[in-house]
Amino acid sequence: MSVDAKLEGIELIRVRMPLVSPFRTSFGTQTSKDALLLRAVTSAAEGWGECVAAQYPLYASEYVDAAMTTLRDFLVPALADLAVVDVNLVGPVLERYRGHRMSKAALEMALWDAELRAAGTPMSRALGAVATAVPAGVSVGIMDTLDELVATVGGYLEEGYRRIKLKIEPGWDVAAVKVIRDEFGDVPLQVDANTAYTLADVDQLRKLDDFDLLLIEQPMAEENVLGHAELARHLRTPICLDESITSARAAADAIRAGACRVVNIKAGRVGGYLEARRVHDVCRAHDVPVWCGGMLETGLGRAANAALAALPGMLLPGDVSASSRFYQRDITEPLVLQDGFMAVPTGPGLGVTPIAEVLEAVTVHREWLPVAS
Ligand code: OSB
Ligand code: MG
């Protein structure tokens, strides 16, 4: 299975892609996507990684410019200590640098893709995925009007999406959920507050209990794990944590504290796909259902997420949507909906590769970082 390859270097490729429509959340409105792609060049194969840090530090403290600096000055140089390209060695080699999980995740992803392509192994198989296709959910931004929300959700349901997630904030919560229930009946529905509430909002949040939501995602601040445990005592709707779950250890602690009954797993947020699998394993051991989150990934991250979403503990549909949810033209062959499901890629590694001309057209910066060894 393993091919002993040496790492020659990492290319950082920054791209900017327009979104098909503005994506509004409680932390801001996004009209384009800045992604940082990593191309790992090894003696055996090339691999691709994607850093999910956004242009601005609004969802998380990491952001693209900081990720580039971190990778250039610390993380990529640390890979000189890697004797061979082996994904299991990446985390340990980077561990002495604190935080910067999205940057670490991107690097691990690129090296893993190279390793898997050299070995001819799909990422889904390496992860231990069991499903060959995963149900697709879609994350729906805050809109100017309820009519606009109904039209947007109606369009997604017509496309075949199996679960709707509404972004909420104070002033856009109960009415938004009610209009979707009134229009579309018992469609699988959940909400995501991205930390927009506090315990003082408990009466408002309790009103959501009337709508049979699958879950409410991250109602309060990232650090407020015990506050979520308190809130949970007042709600029937299960609380799901996203921002708070930064590692498998954090997941274990949150579960023990009673802060969540469901967990959103994002590889970037926890430092990589291997730690994401550990989060999955911890939750599964506690019978806590998990689902795969999204960060407006290009086809590269989208392919990896489809593989992650195929793990056996992924008991709820994820924010695993088609390329067309965000992009007119993805940098890889588009990932498409098939009867409300996303196929798990079957080719070696990620199973998808950037299309050179498309990548070229959206690239705003390239930089080669040789790895001395
Ligand atoms: O909180 O899940 C979130 C997008 C960017 C940052 C945070 C979040 C999101 C989403 C998922 O809601 C969007 C997607 O489908 O990729
Ligand atoms: Mg979220």
Side-chain angles (χ1 to χ4, degrees):
M1 138 104 184
S2 103
V3 178
D4 274 3
K6 296 288 289 179
L7 178 63
E8 293 168 7
I10 301 285
E11 187 176 28
L12 304 183
I13 304 171
R14 186 174 175 154
V15 302
R16 177 164 291 176
M17 294 157 70
L19 299 185
V20 291
S21 55
F23 185 56
R24 179 170 156 201
T25 63
S26 60
F27 56 84
T29 302
Q30 202 173 340
T31 55
S32 67
K33 161 82 178 177
D34 276 49
L36 180 60
L37 309 180
L38 275 60
R39 185 174 66 93
V41 178
T42 80
S43 55
E46 285 186 8
W48 289 90
E50 176 169 348
C51 181
V52 298
Q55 189 179 3
Y56 305 112
L58 298 172
Y59 161 80
S61 64
E62 293 180 82
Y63 61 102
V64 181
D65 284 333
M68 291 183 64
T69 300
T70 304
L71 285 159
R72 184 192 303 121
D73 294 347
F74 304 109
L75 303 183
V76 172
L79 296 182
D81 295 340
L82 276 187
V84 293
V85 176
D86 176 343
V87 69
N88 295 300
L89 302 177
V90 176
V93 158
L94 302 181
E95 200 175 16
R96 69 196 189 97
Y97 295 113
R98 313 276 175 180
H100 298 283
R101 292 185 172 89
M102 293 176 180
S103 300
K104 291 174 177 175
L107 207 44
E108 183 200 80
M109 177 178 168
L111 265 68
W112 202 11
D113 185 38
E115 182 187 354
L116 293 172
R117 284 184 206 250
T121 308
M123 186 181 177
S124 56
R125 190 173 322 148
L127 268 172
V130 292
T132 57
V134 296
V138 61
S139 177
V140 182
I142 295 165
M143 310 263 154
D144 290 333
T145 66
L146 294 174
D147 284 350
E148 200 186 335
L149 180 70
V150 167
T152 303
V153 169
Y156 289 138
L157 291 174
E158 231 156 77
E159 281 186 63
Y161 284 104
R162 303 265 165 158
R163 183 228 68 190
I164 300 294
K165 163 170 137 182
L166 302 181
K167 290 292 194 177
I168 60 167
E169 65 181 3
W172 184 270
D173 45 35
V174 174
V177 168
K178 181 174 187 323
V179 76
I180 296 306
R181 274 281 176 257
D182 289 349
E183 287 285 333
F184 304 111
D186 60 2
V187 56
L189 185 63
Q190 63 193 53
V191 294
D192 185 0
N194 287 112
T195 76
Y197 296 86
T198 72
L199 272 178
D201 299 309
V202 63
D203 291 338
Q204 182 68 10
L205 294 172
R206 275 173 78 117
K207 295 180 191 161
L208 294 171
D209 275 348
D210 294 341
F211 298 96
D212 262 319
L213 300 177
L214 292 166
L215 56 90
I216 175 170
E217 183 178 348
Q218 197 73 42
M220 302 190 296
E222 175 178 333
E223 298 81 0
N224 196 7
V225 171
L226 296 183
H228 282 94
E230 174 63 27
L231 178 62
R233 287 190 270 278
H234 301 278
L235 300 186
R236 257 189 302 122
T237 308
I239 292 176
C240 169
L241 291 176
D242 171 356
E243 284 89 330
S244 298
I245 307 299
T246 52
S247 64
R249 186 185 296 270
D253 285 355
I255 291 166
R256 189 156 64 158
C260 59
R261 284 197 274 152
V262 183
V263 168
N264 165 326
I265 301 183
K266 292 176 181 170
R269 198 192 61 226
V270 302
Y273 282 89
L274 293 187
E275 184 72 3
R277 185 174 55 192
R278 290 189 282 269
V279 175
H280 161 276
D281 293 347
V282 161
C283 293
R284 193 156 186 248
H286 287 86
D287 291 315
V288 168
V290 298
W291 54 280
C292 182
M295 292 287 286
L296 289 76
E297 286 89 350
T298 73
L300 297 170
R302 214 160 276 279
N305 285 348
L308 184 66
L311 290 176
M314 292 277 185
L315 299 177
L316 291 165
D319 285 340
V320 182
S321 51
S323 294
S324 62
R325 159 67 184 89
F326 292 108
Y327 306 110
Q328 180 116 53
R329 194 160 189 215
D330 206 337
I331 56 163
T332 63
E333 48 278 36
L335 283 90
V336 298
L337 267 188
Q338 292 164 356
D339 197 24
F341 282 74
M342 302 292 299
V344 177
T346 55
L350 299 172
V352 299
T353 310
I355 300 162
E357 310 83 73
V358 183
L359 180 59
E360 191 60 42
V362 295
T363 296
V364 294
H365 178 82
R366 277 179 185 261
E367 175 175 347
W368 172 248
L369 305 173
V371 173
S373 56

